[in-house]
Amino acid sequence: MTPRSTRILGKSLVVTAIAVVATFGLSFTARVALQMPIDWLSWVECALIPILIGLPVSAYIFNQSETIQDTCDKLEKSHTALKEAHDRLTFVTSHDQMTGLLSRGEFIARMDRRRDEGEYDTLLLIDPDHFSSVNDEHGHSKGDETLLRIAKALIYTTRPGDSIGRLGGEEFGVLLRDVRKERAITIAENIRRHIEGFPRIKGQQNGVKVTVSIGGAEISRDGDPQDVLRVAGRCLFDAKQRGRNRVSFDHQSFRSQGLVSEARSR
C-alpha cells in the first residue's frame, strides 16, 4: 500500500468511526426519548449504515483532496522552475557572458534614467591600452584574462549602486550614480592606478602589462545617452592621444567618430 493510500484509508476510518459513534448517540437518544425499543436491528443499523455510506464517501473525498494537493504541488514546482528559467534568461540577455557585467543595451538603458533637478550622473569609458597587441602577441586567452582582470577591478573600485557594463569588445563603461565631474575624476584615477598596479599577466617574453585609458562625461537631467557616449568617447580618444594610461574629461577637438573608433582599438 502506498503512503497516499495509507493516508486516505486512515482519514476515512477516523471519519467513519466518528460517524458510527454519532449515529449511535443520536439514534439511541431519540429512541429513548420516544420510548421506542432498542433491539438488535437498531444496533446493526447504527453500525452498518455509517460504514456503508461514510467509508466510501469519505475515501472519495480524501482521494480528491490528495489529487488536488498533488496538482497544486506540481503547479507550484512548475511555476518555480519557470521563474528560475525566466530569471536565467533575463540575466543572459542583460549581461555579458564572459565578464558577468551588464550588456551594452542594459547599460545604456540605465544611463537613460529620470534624474531630479540638479542631479548629475557621470559616465566613464574605460579601454585597455594596446589591447590588439595583447591578442596578437600573446593569444586571445591572455586577452580574455586581461578583460576579466579589468572587470574585477571595476567592481572592486566602484560603489554597489553604480552600474558597470561591457559595451563591446574591450570597452567598458561605468555609470557613477549622482556623482559630479570633480569626484568622478578621483574615482577614475583610482581605477586607473588600481589596474596599473596589476602584476604582469604571464605570457611570452616579459608578460603583459595592463593599463587603461579613461574618458568621462557628466550626464545632466535631460542628457541623451548617445550624446554623452560620444563626448566620453572623444575624451577617451584624447587620453589615448596624450600617451595612454591617463584620465581625460576634456577633449581638445570634435574629431570624427572614425578616429574615435580607431583610438579604442589601440
Side-chain angles (χ1 to χ4, degrees):
M1 184 176 292
T2 63
R4 171 175 170 159
S5 300
T6 302
R7 287 196 304 272
I8 293 173
L9 179 60
K11 293 177 181 178
S12 300
L13 290 175
V14 170
V15 170
T16 302
I18 294 173
V20 169
V21 172
T23 303
F24 270 108
L26 291 174
S27 178
F28 282 21
T29 300
R31 288 178 178 273
V32 170
L34 297 174
Q35 298 182 350
M36 296 175 62
I38 300 175
D39 52 13
W40 66 272
L41 185 59
S42 301
W43 287 89
V44 172
E45 288 176 347
C46 291
L48 289 182
I49 290 176
I51 293 174
L52 294 176
I53 296 176
L55 186 60
V57 170
S58 60
Y60 174 79
I61 293 173
F62 287 126
N63 180 66
Q64 292 299 106
S65 176
E66 289 279 340
T67 301
I68 293 172
Q69 185 61 51
D70 290 344
T71 302
C72 290
D73 291 341
K74 290 178 181 178
L75 286 174
E76 184 176 356
K77 290 179 180 178
S78 298
H79 179 268
T80 301
L82 184 61
K83 184 178 183 301
E84 291 175 353
H86 178 268
D87 291 343
R88 287 194 299 269
L89 181 60
T90 300
F91 183 87
V92 168
T93 55
S94 62
H95 289 74
D96 174 62
Q97 293 186 13
M98 186 179 77
T99 62
L101 302 179
L102 296 175
S103 65
R104 181 182 180 87
E106 180 65 21
F107 184 84
I108 293 177
R110 296 197 182 188
M111 286 178 59
D112 196 22
R113 75 178 184 90
R114 182 177 180 84
R115 297 172 182 84
D116 296 331
E117 185 71 32
E119 183 181 12
Y120 285 75
D121 294 340
T122 299
L123 169 67
L124 303 179
L125 291 185
I126 299 99
D127 192 274
D129 299 321
H130 303 293
F131 184 75
S132 58
S133 64
V134 174
N135 283 329
D136 295 340
E137 297 175 14
H138 302 277
H140 289 283
S141 62
K142 296 303 177 183
D144 291 346
E145 184 177 349
T146 299
L147 296 179
L148 286 172
R149 280 196 179 191
I150 293 173
K152 291 178 181 178
L154 296 178
I155 295 172
Y156 177 79
T157 53
T158 54
R159 305 167 302 172
D162 298 330
S163 299
I164 310 171
R166 185 182 179 193
L167 306 188
E170 68 272 19
E171 187 177 79
F172 296 87
V174 173
L175 180 64
L176 300 173
R177 187 181 178 94
D178 197 18
V179 171
R180 296 300 299 265
K181 173 182 174 180
E182 293 74 17
R183 186 181 174 195
I185 292 174
T186 301
I187 296 173
E189 282 291 347
N190 289 338
I191 293 172
R192 185 194 64 77
R193 286 196 297 267
H194 183 78
I195 295 174
E196 185 184 24
F198 284 168
R200 288 181 176 270
I201 296 176
K202 293 181 180 180
Q204 299 177 8
Q205 299 177 349
N206 296 326
V208 181
K209 178 62 177 176
V210 181
T211 62
V212 295
S213 298
I214 301 175
E218 281 187 339
I219 311 175
S220 62
R221 179 183 182 185
D222 300 321
D224 179 78
Q226 296 302 327
D227 290 341
V228 176
L229 281 169
R230 281 191 288 270
V231 173
R234 292 171 184 134
C235 292
L236 174 59
F237 176 78
D238 180 71
K240 295 280 189 181
Q241 286 292 93
R242 292 193 290 115
R244 301 181 179 84
N245 190 24
R246 63 185 64 240
V247 174
S248 175
F249 273 71
D250 297 296
H251 56 87
Q252 296 177 354
S253 61
F254 288 85
R255 301 176 183 271
S256 67
Q257 188 64 32
L259 289 177
V260 174
S261 299
E262 180 184 353
R264 293 177 185 176
S265 66
R266 294 180 181 179

